[in-house]
Amino acid sequence: MADTVLNSPNIKKLSAKDFRSDQENRWCPGCGDHGILNSVQKAMADMDFKKEDYAVISGIGCSSRFPYYMDTYGFHTIHGRAAAIASGAKCANPDLEVIQVSGDGDALAIGGNHFIHAVRRNIDMTILLFNNEIYGLTKGQYSPTSNHGMVTKTSPFGTIEEPFKPSQLAMGAGSKFYARSLDTNIKLTTEIVKAASDHKGTSIVEVLQNCVIYNDGAHSIITDKATKEDYTVIIEHGKPMIFGKEKNKGLIMGGNGKLVVVTIGEHGITEEDVLVHDAHTEDPHMHWLLSSMMAPEYPVALGVIRDVDSTSYDEKMVQQIEDIKAISSIKSMDDLLNSGDTWVVE
Amino acid sequence: MSQKTKIIEREEVVIRFSGDSGDGMQLTGTQFSDTSALFGNDVATFPDYPAEIRAPQGTVGGVSGFQLHFGHQEIYTPGDYADVLVAMNPAALKANLKWVKASGTIIVNEDSFTDKNLEKAGYESDPLLDDKLADYNLIKAKVTSLTRECLKDSGLDQKSILRCKNMFTLGMVYWMFDRPLDHSEDFIEKKFKKYPLVVDANKKVLKAGYNFAKTIEALPYNYSVAPAKIRKGTYRNITGNKATAWGLMAAAERANLELFCGSYPITPATEILQELAARKDLGVKTFQAEDEIAGICTAIGASFAGDFAVTTTSGPGLALKTEAAGLAVMTELPLVIVNVQRGGPSTGLPTKTEQSDLLQAIHGRSGECPMPVIAASTPSDCFHYAFEASRIALEHMTPVILLTDGFIANGAEPWRIPTMSELPEIVAPIAKEGDDFLPYAREEKRLSRRWAIPGTKGLEHRIGGLEKIDGVGTVSYVPENHQVMSDIRKKRVELVADNIPELKVKGKDDADVLVVGWGGTYGHLTTAVRELQKEEKSISLAHFNYIFPLPKNTAEVLGRYKKIIVCELNDGQFAEYLRSTFQDIKFEQHNKLMGLPFTVVELKERFNQLLEEK
């Protein structure tokens, strides 16, 4: 499997181009999905897997056309069920590197049940959740992540629903890995996909994605040049959470258990006072706070927010089968057929 | 082994154990049938229990029953009417009296006939005291107090003591039929290995029941049923659900593939998942999914990734799996969907049998979505048809629906164990590294595409639910292409008919009446037809296991008979399917929707009526 690739002198290193399929890309010009596709192809070329060991599995929606544009094993399945199908694929062959691609509607509405249970089981796969806060393929209805009050074709007077935060849903289900990126930030997305792949267990990667047709500018506060640096904090394990145009803003813990945005140099605040990110702590409290931050009160956190060591479902499944095989006297169907209460008719 | 007052030789006997759902009647019945099978009788059993785990005690709705039929000839059904009824309380008597043969024996637990219990069962007066049971051989045994007396020094608490009372009645029935106790004694020793007090108590009560029956000589006679003349070989008792699980495992071994089962518990299919989950030693992977949809979807994912994948369910679950089943048809991946039918619609009668998912199996998907459908007909042949469903799925690269039902799934019978080398090898069309591969390129004979398993170098490809161009597999919305692909999908299922046996008829080719059935009604139909044939009636039976496609000679067989009657436990779904397939042939129907199997008596009555009609 994968580990032999880089060690073999005869195999040339893969490039992003090697993962491009010959299929015509039908995403709208300007769609955030193009950037994500580039990032994932770059990440896959950098990772230690052979092309044929990747299985890219999607549900239904614009994002779910992803497998068609990848030159590896791909499966475009049915609405909402990608997590279940990917779970089965990974259990059938734990050597595969399984990547699930879903949109916010696919993963969190019709597929909400499968999403939380994949996370709960901790199957070793990466779920790329493209979040544009709208239904694109069905042409502009609100989604489970659309803001309260948002006017869409099915909410002409504004939605009266509260949105999900994918990070909270994931952590509520026991997620050990959660990261957030932005479609236009190719470098960050590439790094995050690699980190997600390295993580053993279900990795949730939420990519904030722009739908140019039905929800253009949904994430503008963190994409517009004028505002993005003041409203984005890119967090990294072991590094202080500093951000802002002047690189002088930071996050500290307030007395009431809430995060507080401070300015370094004001009110006696120094760089030492700013929180240092610990992605590996088991306790999800800080990860919850960080991933829940919203503009304009807070910057939006991007990067690997939670990455906790764990044993995956598929590892445990393989181990359990090995353990039982070792102690059982039943080694074949013939053994089983003749086990227990049998009698002979002469 | 014991001195008998009077021994009556019998061809066959039907016993029905009944009591509260906590009274241990299923265990008692299983013990008696296992012992009879070991003795050499042919046996068929039918457990009948309420959907509630512990329905209200003492009420008719909470009665749990276990009927078994054993004989020294081949036995095909658990029997219509009982020679012996064991009733642990008034409700059990009330619920089951109509199933006792005239002058049959009824054993009651006299202690339980209290005013309170009689009222719960809806009796206005005590049936043990009036003359309503005068025509039966009524045996009143104080089972509760005798058990209590027997175990007063056992060191067990009252609750545990009372739990042993089913062994008392089992002992009594063992004496009646001159059966040895050693099989059940072994069973008790194994089951309660960790609790020596419980082992001693159960064995003591079992013997006490045996000795009680012997002492009171309340039984006017003892039955003797000689061993059956059955084929040489090694046998075991097996239920339909267990046989289904083993058939799937056998297919995986013969196909040299790992078995994956993605499933969600549902009555009466759950035991298949449980049986597979217990077989980690044979490398079986079971995935208890979050719902029915995830059950089939994990199986489809596993099939994509190269395992032999199955999902198990019952009617309402099959309805939920529908969309994903369509994906499996579109992507032409092997998959077995086991549907253990129960009474419907909706939640219906979860623990009762029915055959009414037939049209759902054949047609119940979006779009033109053909999928082979096959049905098992007895508890033990669930093994064979599970193997067959798997063989067809893997060799033809298609999902297959296997229909069983609550009656055969829970029923048990002795089964001659095959050896694995007797079973055919299953060769799935797996593409290899270096092959000239296109995802939808087809082999000529079966039109099946090849299975390129992720991880195989050079065969990277994409599949999915969207319509594809044949061969290359690129997405296509071209109108003409959809016609071509729809025709191929239809043809692929029709071609399965080249790979299944022809239909065989039991009886003459020119009989006046042909009885037609399918699936789990086999035993009752066979018995009714065989009994009429013995009476020299002109009647034959054609029983179907391959439903879609039908065996190739079906039109020719059906065309030979003037009167055809299609019998099924639904409102006429197979009859409707046959009518639409063979529009020139006339079909009569016999249908029943009571959550119960046919009785041989009702079938014979109906067939006689048809034979007499001009």
Side-chain angles (χ1 to χ4, degrees):
Chain A
M1 74 168 255
D3 47 4
T4 57
V5 177
L6 294 181
N7 302 335
S8 165
N10 297 326
I11 295 172
K12 106 176 188 316
K13 180 99 178 59
L14 295 166
S15 74
K17 224 173 122 189
D18 292 314
F19 287 96
R20 272 173 220 156
S21 80
D22 57 357
Q23 305 288 299
E24 183 197 341
N25 191 312
R26 297 190 178 195
W27 284 325
C28 305
C31 174
D33 291 355
H34 295 286
I36 307 174
L37 180 66
N38 283 341
S39 310
V40 174
Q41 286 170 335
K42 275 189 179 190
M44 283 164 78
D46 278 354
M47 295 190 300
D48 294 351
F49 294 96
K50 290 185 255 178
K51 233 172 83 148
E52 61 269 22
D53 285 333
Y54 286 104
V56 180
I57 297 172
S58 65
I60 295 291
C62 292
S63 61
S64 290
R65 291 190 154 256
F66 204 91
Y68 291 126
Y69 310 138
M70 297 289 306
D71 192 21
T72 178
Y73 285 94
F75 198 173
H76 178 221
T77 71
I78 46 179
H79 207 187
R81 318 301 172 197
I85 291 174
S87 299
K90 181 69 184 179
C91 293
N93 185 353
D95 289 345
L96 294 176
E97 178 63 5
V98 176
I99 297 176
Q100 182 204 325
V101 182
S102 280
D104 42 305
D106 192 51
L108 305 184
I110 184 168
N113 197 26
H114 310 307
F115 176 83
I116 57 173
H117 286 284
V119 171
R120 175 180 65 82
R121 289 190 188 98
N122 203 26
I123 290 172
D124 186 18
M125 60 185 186
T126 297
I127 299 180
L128 301 178
L129 173 61
F130 296 11
N131 187 2
N132 57 16
E133 302 179 1
I134 194 80
Y135 284 179
L137 196 72
T138 50
K139 301 188 174 64
Q141 302 79 24
Y142 67 88
S143 92
T145 54
S146 295
N147 290 327
H148 181 272
M150 186 171 162
V151 173
T152 73
K153 285 181 180 167
T154 47
S155 57
F157 310 110
T159 68
I160 52 173
E161 297 188 9
E162 292 301 326
F164 269 144
K165 275 194 173 300
S167 58
Q168 294 179 348
L169 204 56
M171 282 180 222
S175 173
K176 300 285 198 283
F177 185 103
Y178 169 80
R180 189 189 283 138
S181 192
L182 185 64
D183 53 4
T184 50
N185 193 337
I186 309 277
K187 188 166 167 279
L188 181 66
T189 309
T190 302
E191 288 311 309
I192 285 177
V193 169
K194 286 196 277 187
S197 172
D198 284 344
H199 174 80
K200 292 281 166 218
T202 308
S203 309
I204 305 297
V205 178
E206 180 187 5
V207 189
L208 303 177
Q209 181 250 338
N210 192 41
C211 173
V212 281
I213 309 296
Y214 296 108
N215 200 16
D216 197 20
H219 311 297
S220 58
I221 200 159
I222 60 166
T223 54
D224 287 357
K225 256 199 173 144
T227 51
K228 71 175 184 186
E229 286 180 61
D230 281 337
Y231 290 104
T232 309
V233 56
I234 295 182
I235 60 172
E236 277 181 81
H237 177 74
K239 302 222 169 129
M241 295 178 239
I242 293 174
F243 65 102
K245 243 179 237 164
E246 315 292 331
K247 298 272 178 260
N248 64 344
K249 289 186 178 180
L251 291 164
I252 65 161
M253 180 53 81
N256 57 358
K258 286 174 99 179
L259 293 169
V260 178
V261 176
V262 293
T263 307
I264 296 163
E266 284 178 14
H267 308 294
I269 299 279
T270 69
E271 219 174 292
E272 272 74 60
D273 296 320
V274 175
L275 288 168
V276 172
H277 183 48
D278 180 0
H280 304 324
T281 176
E282 181 91 34
D283 180 357
H285 183 65
M286 180 59 74
H287 302 154
W288 175 281
L289 292 179
L290 286 171
S291 64
S292 300
M293 293 191 303
M294 281 173 78
E297 190 186 353
Y298 290 108
V300 174
L302 301 179
V304 177
I305 293 170
R306 180 169 172 80
D307 183 1
V308 179
D309 258 358
S310 66
T311 310
S312 69
Y313 177 100
D314 35 297
E315 283 176 292
K316 286 187 267 189
M317 178 194 75
V318 169
Q319 190 59 50
Q320 191 174 50
I321 288 174
E322 291 304 312
D323 292 349
I324 303 297
K325 271 184 173 173
I327 56 166
S328 173
S329 59
I330 308 282
K331 305 288 181 199
S332 69
M333 271 311 287
D334 276 325
D335 292 344
L336 179 63
L337 290 166
N338 289 287
S339 64
D341 284 335
T342 62
W343 67 93
V344 178
V345 174
E346 305 283 344
Chain B
M1 60 192 292
S2 53
Q3 289 171 353
K4 290 291 152 75
T5 42
K6 187 177 166 197
I7 293 169
I8 307 225
E9 292 277 342
R10 289 286 298 267
E11 291 273 307
E12 54 188 332
V13 167
V14 175
I15 306 177
R16 194 171 177 105
F17 295 93
S18 66
D20 251 341
S21 55
D23 276 343
M25 292 297 102
Q26 305 298 328
L27 181 109
T28 311
T30 310
Q31 280 302 300
F32 193 90
S33 46
D34 284 358
T35 295
S36 295
L38 277 171
F39 179 74
N41 295 132
D42 199 12
V43 188
T45 70
F46 180 46
D48 183 19
Y49 50 89
E52 293 80 14
I53 303 293
R54 286 279 190 278
Q57 274 201 332
T59 63
V60 172
V63 172
S64 169
F66 188 99
Q67 184 158 311
L68 67 102
H69 185 187
F70 62 102
H72 92 120
Q73 289 205 351
E74 275 182 282
I75 297 289
Y76 294 101
T77 77
D80 294 354
Y81 296 96
D83 297 282
V84 177
L85 171 70
V86 173
M88 296 299 276
N89 63 13
L93 179 66
K94 180 128 195 179
N96 291 296
L97 188 60
K98 64 181 175 211
W99 298 109
V100 184
K101 281 180 191 167
S103 77
T105 295
I106 300 173
I107 301 174
V108 294
N109 176 11
E110 196 180 355
D111 292 325
S112 71
F113 280 68
T114 60
D115 290 348
K116 201 175 146 199
N117 282 345
L118 288 165
E119 196 193 321
K120 273 199 213 164
Y123 275 115
E124 278 168 16
S125 62
D126 188 344
L128 305 186
L129 301 177
D130 54 35
D131 58 359
K132 283 191 191 108
L133 301 176
D135 294 340
Y136 301 94
N137 171 39
L138 179 67
I139 299 164
K140 293 185 266 188
K142 294 189 167 160
V143 177
T144 310
S145 40
L146 288 167
T147 302
R148 208 178 268 147
E149 179 62 26
C150 182
L151 296 181
K152 64 180 179 197
D153 302 323
S154 64
L156 290 179
D157 58 85
Q158 280 304 310
K159 211 172 153 191
S160 307
I161 286 175
L162 287 183
R163 228 178 259 148
C164 297
K165 67 182 188 292
N166 60 333
M167 287 297 129
F168 194 90
T169 47
L170 181 63
M172 287 180 74
V173 183
Y174 275 154
W175 183 79
M176 285 181 74
F177 296 98
D178 198 15
R179 291 289 185 264
L181 302 182
D182 39 340
H183 171 72
S184 287
E185 286 174 337
D186 285 352
F187 170 82
I188 292 165
E189 276 166 19
K190 272 187 208 142
K191 186 172 167 76
F192 302 112
K193 200 162 57 190
K194 288 182 193 151
Y195 311 98
L197 281 184
V198 178
V199 170
D200 291 346
N202 275 287
K203 282 166 72 176
K204 201 171 172 197
V205 174
L206 179 71
K207 270 191 202 124
Y210 189 93
N211 290 329
F212 172 78
K214 184 175 161 188
T215 310
I216 59 167
E217 288 187 8
L219 317 181
Y221 42 78
N222 297 90
Y223 296 122
S224 160
V225 179
K229 284 180 197 129
I230 38 182
R231 217 176 132 199
K232 283 182 189 170
T234 305
Y235 283 77
R236 65 180 310 134
N237 266 339
I238 198 156
T239 65
N241 274 340
K242 192 170 196 165
T244 301
W246 287 16
L248 297 169
M249 288 161 57
E253 190 175 298
R254 292 303 281 157
N256 208 11
L257 291 168
E258 289 183 0
L259 178 60
F260 177 97
C261 176
S263 185
Y264 188 74
I266 181 169
T267 304
T270 309
E271 288 86 7
I272 305 173
L273 171 63
Q274 288 172 356
E275 187 61 33
L276 292 173
R279 292 274 70 92
K280 296 262 182 303
D281 46 13
L282 294 180
V284 179
K285 299 170 203 166
T286 51
F287 190 102
Q288 182 173 311
E290 53 274 20
D291 59 29
E292 294 282 357
I293 298 173
I296 186 171
C297 284
T298 53
I300 290 171
S303 180
F304 170 64
D307 273 1
F308 167 46
V310 303
T311 187
T312 55
T313 193
S314 185
L318 185 66
L320 283 167
K321 292 179 195 294
T322 293
E323 187 198 9
L327 176 69
V329 168
M330 200 65 166
T331 51
E332 304 184 24
L333 285 169
L335 172 72
V336 172
I337 304 167
V338 181
N339 177 24
V340 184
Q341 298 168 98
R342 68 188 212 185
S346 186
T347 311
L349 308 170
T351 60
K352 309 292 178 190
T353 200
E354 208 165 275
Q355 292 187 299
S356 50
D357 294 335
L358 181 75
L359 292 179
Q360 185 187 199
I362 300 174
H363 297 300
R365 287 168 292 282
S366 72
E368 288 290 338
C369 191
M371 186 186 298
V373 178
I374 73 175
S377 47
T378 73
S380 70
D381 82 10
C382 286
F383 179 88
H384 175 72
Y385 289 103
F387 189 90
E388 278 292 275
S390 312
R391 184 181 68 84
I392 292 166
L394 288 163
E395 290 182 352
H396 291 260
M397 291 290 285
T398 177
V400 174
I401 292 182
L402 170 67
L403 295 174
T404 71
D405 58 57
F407 173 69
I408 58 172
N410 288 319
E413 63 183 358
W415 174 50
R416 189 179 170 277
I417 303 165
T419 56
M420 287 302 291
S421 56
E422 282 170 38
L423 301 172
E425 198 186 346
I426 298 173
V427 183
I430 296 172
K432 298 274 178 320
E433 186 179 330
D435 281 0
D436 195 9
F437 174 79
L438 285 175
Y440 282 80
R442 302 178 182 286
E443 62 94 58
E444 250 172 67
K445 221 169 83 189
R446 292 174 184 158
L447 293 182
S448 50
R449 69 180 198 91
R450 280 176 306 154
W451 196 4
I453 294 166
T456 314
K457 194 181 170 184
L459 306 188
E460 292 89 342
H461 69 286
R462 291 145 296 277
I463 57 172
L466 288 171
E467 186 63 284
K468 305 285 190 296
I469 297 175
D470 203 28
V472 292
T474 314
V475 172
S476 166
Y477 302 135
V478 173
E480 289 76 12
N481 178 67
H482 182 50
Q483 183 74 56
V484 167
M485 291 303 278
S486 300
D487 292 348
I488 290 172
R489 285 189 286 267
K490 186 178 174 190
K491 184 76 184 162
R492 269 166 42 72
V493 174
E494 287 168 1
L495 286 172
V496 170
D498 291 341
N499 199 11
I500 60 172
E502 293 208 326
L503 180 64
K504 285 195 188 87
V505 171
K506 282 191 181 200
K508 289 181 183 154
D509 283 354
D510 59 350
D512 292 346
V513 166
L514 178 73
V515 174
V516 165
W518 67 274
T521 52
Y522 171 83
H524 291 91
L525 295 174
T526 301
T527 308
V529 168
R530 200 181 57 172
E531 287 182 12
L532 289 173
Q533 284 169 344
K534 271 190 196 157
E535 296 167 22
E536 314 233 310
K537 300 279 169 66
S538 181
I539 189 165
S540 297
L541 171 69
H543 197 81
F544 287 80
N545 294 105
Y546 297 89
I547 309 283
F548 189 70
L550 290 162
K552 277 176 145 180
N553 62 335
T554 304
E556 184 252 315
V557 169
L558 298 179
R560 292 203 292 258
Y561 299 88
K562 280 198 196 86
K563 274 189 205 169
I564 300 177
I565 182 162
V566 184
C567 307
E568 16 175 8
L569 298 174
N570 59 37
D571 227 1
Q573 299 189 13
F574 192 53
E576 198 173 304
Y577 167 56
L578 290 175
R579 271 186 206 114
S580 68
T581 311
F582 307 107
Q583 290 170 16
D584 300 333
I585 300 176
K586 192 168 172 283
F587 297 95
E588 304 271 346
Q589 288 177 216
H590 180 70
N591 303 101
K592 178 168 171 177
L593 274 171
M594 301 173 85
L596 292 169
F598 288 127
T599 64
V600 172
V601 171
E602 69 168 293
L603 290 172
K604 282 172 73 179
E605 199 178 314
R606 180 75 174 92
F607 300 158
N608 272 324
Q609 196 186 14
L610 199 64
L611 283 159
E612 280 157 26
E613 279 170 18
K614 290 266 162 93

